[in-house]
């Protein structure tokens, strides 16, 4: 018979795995608990579950598994299947998975002195209260609480095997950075029983890696915030100001829903990124409202409503110059009273010259004959005025015809003068209406530029405060004592 088989039969022959491996019932079995961290598999923030791959190292003394190595060919260490010996009922108190899977049936390493070392590789799913206030700049401290489920401290006493966790086989996680693990032994007294119940708790301190979220959350938020400012840079005549604002608002809504899917459904913590998105969405909504106001100012000119004096003094005379919106090339010129008077006089002189030119052209068409006739007609009119009874019937007829022609010429001149006056009035009215339109448009541009700077400062301040200053001054979670 092989030596190991003979040894196994010798120590297992009268062994009972259902009772504690102590000869004196008042003696507790001291379990030394250790942990080897191999990987942080996942952190499910929505369900608040931490998934880790670990090796559970358990060590204790079994008084019934001892032998003399010299009797068994100097065999000092024997690997025995775990289902053949007594095992401590150590469980994870904050387990978030089902208990049907159990542990891997790893062999127990038994020393001839009765010392047993049982390393068990397993995947742990532990509940962890996730604080997403500073998401995605957050750090989490999750605990793994191990203890006996049925034995009290007088029967099974559990303590930590080492002061530090073994990280020699640890594989880095792409989302979370492991900062450290602290081991704390606790002794708890429950209301049901006067006996103590010791446990060993491992506090896992992890920090979220920010690079992924910078490219997929932070930068898109900042770029969409910049799109809100473009609403005030778009010309009102384009007809797309409100459409752009509504599009940005809808984009923020969809993006906020996408972020909310990865966060726990709790009202205890409000993530910074959600606060930032809410603020930017509020600014975008207000920008749409203010865009409607700006468009109302821009299109108020065609109603021919004069700009109030205080608006002209504040927005046109002061703020437009301060904001560099008024120039002789890009914007209409606003005439003073003296300039308007000189302009009207010049127009009247020009129209008088046109009237004289029309009369001269009419005289040139009539020719020299008409000039002679007009001269004779003048003499005839003088004779008629001095001695009307001396005129012959032919001269009387000629007199009537000349008088009618003179009246027609005078009426033509009056019609020309009235037409010229209407042209002058129409020109003045168009000039005045154009000036009113341009004044309202300049007021709208000034309001647009003021809103741009207000929203720029608001967006920049909220971005720096929420995404830079607050994460930099956040409270680092500490291990409980």
């Amino acid at each position: 018979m092989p030596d190991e088989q003979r040894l196994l039969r010798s120590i297992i022959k009268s062994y009972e795995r259902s009772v504690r491996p102590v000869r004196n019932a008042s003696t507790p079995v001291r379990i030394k608990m250790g942990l080897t961290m191999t990987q942080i598999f996942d952190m499910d923030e929505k369900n608040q579950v931490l998934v880790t791959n670990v090796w559970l190292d358990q060590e204790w003394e079994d008084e019934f598994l001892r032998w003399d190595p010299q009797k068994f060919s100097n065999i000092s260490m024997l690997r025995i299947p775990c289902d053949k010996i007594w095992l401590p009922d150590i469980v994870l108190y904050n387990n978030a998975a089902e208990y049907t899977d159990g542990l891997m049936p790893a062999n127990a390493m038994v020393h001839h002195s009765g010392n047993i070392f049982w390393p068990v590789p397993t995947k742990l799913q532990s509940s962890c209260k996730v604080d997403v206030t500073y998401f995605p700049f957050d750090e989490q401290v999750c605990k793994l609480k191990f203890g006996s489920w049925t034995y009290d401290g007088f029967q099974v006493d559990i303590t930590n095997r080492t002061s530090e966790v073994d990280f020699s086989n640890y594989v880095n996680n792409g989302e979370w950075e492991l900062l450290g693990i602290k081991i704390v032994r606790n002794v708890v007294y429950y209301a049901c029983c006067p006996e103590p119940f010791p446990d060993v708790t491992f506090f896992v301190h992890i920090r979220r890696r920010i690079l992924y979220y910078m490219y997929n959350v932070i930068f898109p938020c900042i770029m969409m915030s910049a799109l809100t400012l473009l609403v005030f840079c778009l010309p009102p005549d384009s007809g797309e100001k409100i459409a752009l604002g509504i599009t940005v608002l809808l984009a923020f809504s969809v993006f906020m829903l996408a972020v909310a899917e990865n966060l726990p459904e709790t009202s205890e913590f409000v993530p910074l990124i959600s606060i930032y998105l809410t603020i930017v969405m509020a600014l975008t909504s207000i920008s749409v409202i203010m865009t409607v106001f700006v468009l109302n100012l821009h299109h108020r000119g065609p109603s021919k409503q004069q700009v109030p004096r205080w608006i002209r003094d504040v927005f046109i005379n002061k703020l437009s110059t301060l904001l560099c919106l008024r120039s002789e090339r890009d914007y209409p010129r606003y005439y003073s009273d003296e300039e308007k008077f000189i302009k009207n006089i010049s127009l009247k002189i020009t129209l008088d010259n046109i009237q004289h030119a029309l009369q001269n052209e009419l005289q040139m068409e009539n020719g020299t004959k008409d000039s002679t006739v007009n001269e004779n007609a003048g003499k005839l009119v003088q004779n008629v005025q001095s001695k009307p009874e001396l005129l012959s019937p032919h001269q009387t007829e000629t007199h009537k015809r000349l008088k009618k022609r003179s009246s027609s010429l005078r009426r033509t001149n009056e019609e020309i003068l009235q037409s010229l006056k209407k042209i002058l009035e129409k020109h003045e009215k168009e000039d005045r209406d154009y000036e009113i339109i341009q004044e309202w448009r300049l007021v709208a541009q000034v309001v647009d530029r003021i809103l741009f700077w207000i929203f720029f400062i608001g967006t920049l301040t909220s971005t720096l405060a929420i995404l830079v200053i607050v994460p930099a001054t956040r409270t680092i979670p500490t291990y409980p004592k």
Side-chain angles (χ1 to χ4, degrees), residues 41 56 71 86 109 127 149 152 176 181 185 209 232 237 239 284 308 314 338 347 370 385 446 449 459 472 481:
F41 191 78
L56 294 179
K71 295 181 180 180
W86 177 88
M109 293 179 284
S127 59
W149 188 249
D152 56 54
W176 293 92
I181 299 178
R185 181 181 182 273
R209 298 181 186 271
F232 302 105
D237 294 331
T284 306
V314 175
E338 294 80 4
L347 288 174
D370 290 342
Q385 292 176 353
V446 171
R449 185 61 57 87
T459 303
K481 298 181 179 180

Side-chain angles (χ1 to χ4, degrees), residues 97-377:
E98 298 180 358
Y99 288 94
T100 56
D101 296 338
L103 298 176
M104 176 183 175
N107 291 335
M109 293 179 284
V110 182
H111 194 263
H112 70 89
S113 62
N115 181 268
I116 299 178
F117 179 65
W118 186 39
V120 182
T122 182
K123 177 184 288 187
L124 300 177
Q125 300 183 35
S126 58
S127 59
C128 177
K129 188 175 183 180
V130 181
D131 184 357
V132 292
T133 301
Y134 298 99
F135 176 86
F137 308 96
D138 56 330
E139 297 183 10
Q140 307 296 335
V141 175
C142 300
K143 67 178 182 179
L144 305 173
K145 184 178 180 179
F146 294 94
S148 176
W149 188 249
T150 58
Y151 294 105
D152 56 54
F154 296 142
Q155 296 174 325
V156 174
D157 186 14
I158 182 172
T159 183
N160 51 301
R161 184 169 179 264
T162 58
S163 59
E164 300 291 339
V165 176
D166 186 7
F167 297 107
S168 59
N169 297 295
Y170 179 73
V171 179
N172 290 325
N173 183 272
E175 183 180 1
W176 293 92
E177 178 185 0
L178 180 60
L179 300 180
I181 299 178
K182 184 179 180 181
I183 307 175
V184 177
R185 181 181 182 273
N186 303 298
V187 178
V188 182
Y189 292 87
Y190 295 100
C192 66
C193 313
E195 296 84 3
F197 288 86
D199 65 79
V200 174
T201 304
F202 299 87
F203 293 94
V204 183
H205 188 189
I206 57 178
R207 178 170 58 198
R208 194 187 304 271
R209 298 181 186 271
I210 197 175
L211 184 61
Y212 171 82
Y213 294 94
M214 286 293 293
Y215 282 99
N216 294 276
V217 178
I218 305 301
F219 288 160
C221 286
I222 296 176
M223 287 187 288
M224 285 193 292
S225 301
L227 292 179
T228 305
L229 302 177
L230 295 180
V231 176
F232 302 105
C233 297
L234 199 64
D237 294 331
S238 64
E240 299 293 335
K241 291 175 72 70
I242 296 181
L244 178 59
I246 296 296
T247 303
V248 175
L249 185 61
L250 293 177
F252 271 118
S253 302
V254 174
F255 193 77
M256 192 171 185
L257 292 176
V259 173
E261 290 180 355
N262 298 323
L263 298 179
E265 298 175 356
T266 176
S267 299
E268 296 181 0
F269 312 104
V270 180
L272 282 179
I273 191 67
S274 298
I275 297 176
Y276 177 72
L277 288 175
T278 303
I279 292 175
V280 177
M281 287 179 61
L283 292 176
T284 306
S285 302
I286 297 174
S287 69
V288 174
I289 297 174
M290 299 310 297
T291 300
V292 175
F293 175 70
V294 170
L295 292 177
N296 189 15
L297 291 177
H298 181 81
H299 295 288
R300 184 172 293 186
S303 63
K304 310 301 185 296
Q305 183 179 358
Q306 288 285 348
V307 178
R309 184 177 183 85
W310 68 271
I311 293 181
R312 183 183 291 107
D313 294 338
V314 175
F315 288 87
I316 296 178
N317 298 334
K318 296 180 180 179
L319 293 179
S320 62
T321 306
L322 181 63
L323 297 174
C324 301
L325 289 176
R326 188 174 177 180
S327 64
E328 295 293 336
R329 183 184 62 182
D330 299 330
Y331 300 101
R333 181 181 178 185
Y334 299 96
Y335 299 100
S336 61
D337 295 337
E338 294 80 4
E339 291 175 335
K340 291 180 180 179
F341 177 76
I342 295 174
K343 178 182 177 183
N344 293 334
I345 292 298
S346 300
L347 288 174
K348 290 181 179 180
I349 294 174
T350 302
L351 293 176
D352 290 339
N353 293 334
I354 294 174
Q355 180 181 0
H356 290 301
L358 290 174
Q359 292 178 353
N360 293 333
E361 185 178 357
L362 181 61
Q363 292 178 359
M364 291 178 64
E365 290 179 356
N366 291 334
T368 307
K369 182 177 179 180
D370 290 342
S371 300
T372 305
V373 172
N374 290 335
E375 183 178 356
N376 295 331

Side-chain angles (χ1 to χ4, degrees), residues 381 398-408 410:
V381 170
T398 302
H399 170 69
K400 291 180 180 181
R401 187 170 59 253
L402 290 176
K403 185 176 181 180
K404 183 178 180 181
R405 180 176 181 181
S406 177
S407 301
S408 177
R410 184 166 55 254

Side-chain angles (χ1 to χ4, degrees), residues 4 7-8 11-12 15 17 21 31 56-62 65 67 75-88 103-112 114-121:
E4 290 188 356
L7 174 60
L8 180 61
I11 60 179
I12 296 297
Y15 187 85
R17 63 184 302 268
I31 307 297
L56 294 179
D57 302 329
Q58 303 177 48
E59 184 179 354
W60 67 92
E61 295 287 339
D62 193 324
L65 295 177
W67 70 91
I75 298 177
S76 61
M77 184 72 70
L78 185 65
R79 272 74 176 174
I80 301 177
C82 63
D83 58 348
K84 294 182 179 298
I85 63 175
W86 177 88
L87 298 176
L103 298 176
M104 176 183 175
N107 291 335
M109 293 179 284
V110 182
H111 194 263
H112 70 89
N115 181 268
I116 299 178
F117 179 65
W118 186 39
V120 182

